[in-house]
Amino acid sequence: MSVEHILFFIFGGVSLIGAVSVITFRHPIYSALALIVTFFSQAGLFVLLGAHFVAAVQVIVYAGAIMVLFLFVIMLLNLGTLSLKGALSGKLKGFAIILGILLAIEGVYIAVTTLDNTDTALASSQVAADTTYSISELGELLFTDYLLPFEVTSIILLAALIGVIVLVKRGNQTEN
Amino acid sequence: MLSIEYYLILSALLFTIGVIGVLIRRNAIIIFMCIELMLNAANLAFVAISKNLGQAEGQLFVFFVMAVAAAEVAIGLAIIVSVFKHRETINVDEINSLKG
């Protein structure tokens, strides 16, 4: 067991526990806090994979911005009592969990077998596999080969911004 | 170096937990959180495969996914807030008419 293995099992275990907590906790605020734990441990996994900038962005964007938005809305709506009748009845819940377990088995099977099939094809690129990418390398790629997707992303963000303003404005007008 | 297999299996498990959450919870905000969980599982697979192939593209796609997720959360939460203003509930079983 190398250090990397130990760290992987710590981060992976914490993220799995956090994810299960998200869907089992009754109160939405506890779910949101469990989701923050999951995001942080996934940032740790990104560091293990050598994607340091992705890890930093994960903490800033997900654990920072997105989760603050979630917590803000949960507190704004004051959902504490509403969520207690939150889940499905027992029979449907069991069915959903069985379907989920089947999906998990399929996913693990695909993950394992795909690796077996492509192992020989990837053997040649295995040499370069230990490299990590700096921010400048990522930025160079982002602003040359992937400039168009980058601009489209900015348009998506602009559209989201305008959409949110329109939604909130309309709500205010109907109240008046 | 840790095998990519571990990361892909973890990613599949996280994605499945997200799917189960969407199926069993009726609270719209929790369903949203589960969607974030699924997007994150996809990000983990992207980064793992990016490392395995020795290409930086996988990490770039993670940024695009994050931008889309941020936009989606902003819009989705605004919709949830305005639905709550109208219906006084965010239980998705009770929000069953398209007419606001």
Side-chain angles (χ1 to χ4, degrees):
Chain A
M1 286 279 275
S2 66
V3 179
E4 203 182 353
H5 276 83
I6 295 168
L7 284 176
F8 173 80
F9 285 115
I10 290 174
F11 285 131
V14 169
S15 66
L16 278 178
I17 292 168
V20 171
S21 308
V22 169
I23 66 170
T24 49
F25 280 158
R26 285 307 219 182
H27 200 294
I29 285 186
Y30 295 149
S31 293
L33 293 176
L35 194 56
I36 292 175
V37 171
T38 306
F39 286 161
F40 266 106
S41 50
Q42 285 207 5
L45 289 173
F46 289 152
V47 172
L48 277 184
L49 283 166
H52 303 122
F53 186 56
V54 176
V57 172
Q58 166 94 2
V59 170
I60 294 169
V61 174
Y62 268 112
I66 291 182
M67 290 321 295
V68 166
L69 206 60
F70 265 110
L71 286 173
F72 186 73
V73 169
I74 291 169
M75 291 178 180
L76 188 75
L77 300 186
N78 198 13
L79 292 170
T81 51
L82 284 174
S83 64
L84 285 176
K85 47 179 182 177
L88 281 182
S89 60
K91 206 179 195 179
L92 279 173
K93 201 182 204 172
F95 187 58
I97 289 173
I98 290 169
L99 281 181
I101 290 169
L102 283 179
L103 183 67
I105 293 169
E106 284 171 14
V108 170
Y109 177 76
I110 289 171
V112 174
T113 53
T114 311
L115 185 78
D116 286 343
N117 291 336
T118 52
D119 221 8
T120 48
L122 293 181
S124 55
S125 63
Q126 208 58 268
V127 187
D130 265 342
T131 54
T132 61
Y133 293 97
S134 64
I135 300 176
S136 61
E137 284 170 300
L138 285 175
E140 201 180 323
L141 201 58
L142 188 63
F143 289 111
T144 52
D145 291 352
Y146 291 90
L147 186 61
L148 182 64
F150 180 76
E151 297 296 342
V152 172
T153 307
S154 66
I155 293 174
I156 288 175
L157 286 175
L158 181 68
L161 192 71
I162 296 171
V164 169
I165 292 172
V166 168
L167 276 171
V168 175
K169 277 271 180 195
R170 200 185 54 190
N172 281 345
Q173 277 165 6
T174 49
E175 267 183 13
N176 295 335
Chain B
M1 186 188 131
L2 201 57
S3 164
I4 186 186
E5 220 171 352
Y6 291 96
Y7 291 99
L8 290 181
I9 290 172
L10 179 65
S11 167
L13 291 179
L14 283 172
F15 189 88
T16 310
I17 292 172
V19 170
I20 293 177
V22 170
L23 289 177
I24 67 173
R25 295 305 296 261
R26 299 292 87 191
N27 185 326
I29 287 186
I30 307 245
I31 289 178
F32 247 104
M33 288 185 204
C34 293
I35 292 172
E36 295 303 311
L37 214 54
M38 287 192 272
L39 285 172
N40 255 282
N43 283 351
L44 186 62
F46 264 130
V47 175
I49 290 172
S50 157
K51 169 150 180 152
N52 197 46
L53 292 175
Q55 291 177 338
E57 273 87 350
Q59 299 190 19
L60 288 185
F61 289 136
V62 170
F63 297 134
F64 295 137
V65 170
M66 280 182 182
V68 171
E72 172 229 332
V73 164
I75 291 280
L77 289 178
I79 291 173
I80 287 178
V81 168
S82 56
V83 164
F84 185 78
K85 273 185 190 165
H86 275 277
R87 310 290 298 261
E88 293 290 315
T89 181
I90 54 164
N91 187 328
V92 290
D93 281 341
E94 293 170 30
I95 307 165
N96 49 14
S97 73
L98 279 176
K99 193 178 160 206

